[in-house]
Amino acid sequence: MTVSAFRALHRGRTADHPLVLPGPWDAGSARVFVDAGFPALATPSAGVAASLGYADGSTPPEEMFAAVSRIVRAVSGAVPVSADIEGGYGLAPGELVGRLLETGAVGCNLEDSAADGTLKDPGQHADWLAEVRAAAGDALFVNARVDTFVHGTGDLADAVARARLYVAAGADCVYPILAPIAVLPALRAGIEGPINMAAGPDKDSVAELGRQGATRITFGPGLQRSAMEATRALAESLRG
């Protein structure tokens, strides 16, 4: 499926029907989610890192791009795949876009904090996002992560201001990661366009985020961690 089909999935969402994108961490989990009927997938960098034996944020870019390629290949074009590529690995916008498109992904997450957790200057980050958009044209769906609630002070006005800058720079969607659900209506009122929120791996969490205004819902590494817990329980049962 094309990037235009992926963009279309974000339009016209209602409070009782947000776009739910599970996060595959490898080829096998990607096939499971496609077989379950999900219309698109969004890889989590932390989940992929764990599957490759790395701590979150420590995956070499070559391995991350290779993992995304395997996930895309596993679903054989049945659904579009968006990839979490963290802060872009220090690559120039043109190279970053080229390498991402080579994987077959149609979208990406790009965060506005540095590897040490420091928030980037929002104006400079918006300029960089604009360069990514210029390099990609319409070929990528850009989900701009807003890290105010995970690495900043949690200031709502700062989150809204950053989101507006990123949308103006060409982001298709914004992702105020770990924003409390209580502030979601205010985020919805202050931000134009789709908003991505992170849910726990349960239907009630997804439903409540949809009711409060989330357009798109992802899970970060939650699904991978749940799968590992299930595997751990099985291992302990067999050991016992």
Side-chain angles (χ1 to χ4, degrees):
M1 293 178 69
T2 64
V3 64
S4 59
F6 188 56
R7 282 199 177 92
L9 289 173
H10 294 75
R11 301 189 188 112
R13 311 306 304 195
T14 58
D16 60 345
H17 191 51
L19 175 61
V20 179
L21 302 179
W25 53 94
D26 61 12
S29 59
R31 287 192 290 266
V32 167
F33 294 135
V34 170
D35 289 345
F38 287 96
L41 307 175
T43 70
S45 61
V48 172
S51 76
L52 296 173
Y54 293 102
D56 185 20
S58 300
T59 309
E62 293 78 10
E63 294 198 44
M64 184 63 76
F65 288 122
V68 172
S69 294
R70 289 192 293 272
I71 289 168
V72 172
R73 184 171 64 247
V75 302
S76 302
V79 301
V81 176
S82 181
D84 183 349
I85 50 173
E86 304 176 276
Y89 307 114
L91 299 173
E95 182 179 359
L96 178 65
V97 168
R99 294 188 67 173
L100 185 57
L101 291 176
E102 285 176 357
T103 71
V106 300
C108 62
N109 281 9
L110 291 169
E111 57 199 48
D112 70 346
S113 59
D116 63 0
T118 303
L119 284 175
K120 298 176 182 178
D121 176 85
Q124 293 177 1
H125 187 62
D127 289 343
W128 181 78
L129 286 174
E131 292 182 38
V132 171
R133 169 54 68 210
D138 291 331
L140 282 177
F141 184 101
V142 176
N143 188 32
R145 209 176 87 174
V146 178
D147 286 359
T148 303
F149 298 97
V150 63
H151 293 308
T153 63
D155 181 76
L156 175 61
D158 178 61
V160 170
R162 285 173 178 269
R164 287 176 171 172
L165 282 173
Y166 304 159
V167 170
D172 297 281
C173 182
V174 293
Y175 180 16
I177 187 171
L178 298 190
I181 194 168
V183 306
L184 180 50
L187 291 169
R188 176 70 284 164
I191 299 169
E192 182 179 353
I195 296 178
N196 187 158
M197 291 287 283
D202 62 90
K203 292 175 68 175
D204 290 342
S205 177
V206 170
E208 182 59 22
L209 286 169
R211 283 192 292 269
Q212 296 299 324
T215 311
R216 155 176 161 163
I217 294 173
T218 53
F219 302 90
L223 301 180
Q224 183 267 340
R225 290 172 180 170
S226 291
M228 291 303 98
E229 285 302 313
T231 303
R232 186 189 308 278
L234 175 61
E236 290 174 351
S237 174
L238 293 172
R239 176 71 173 174

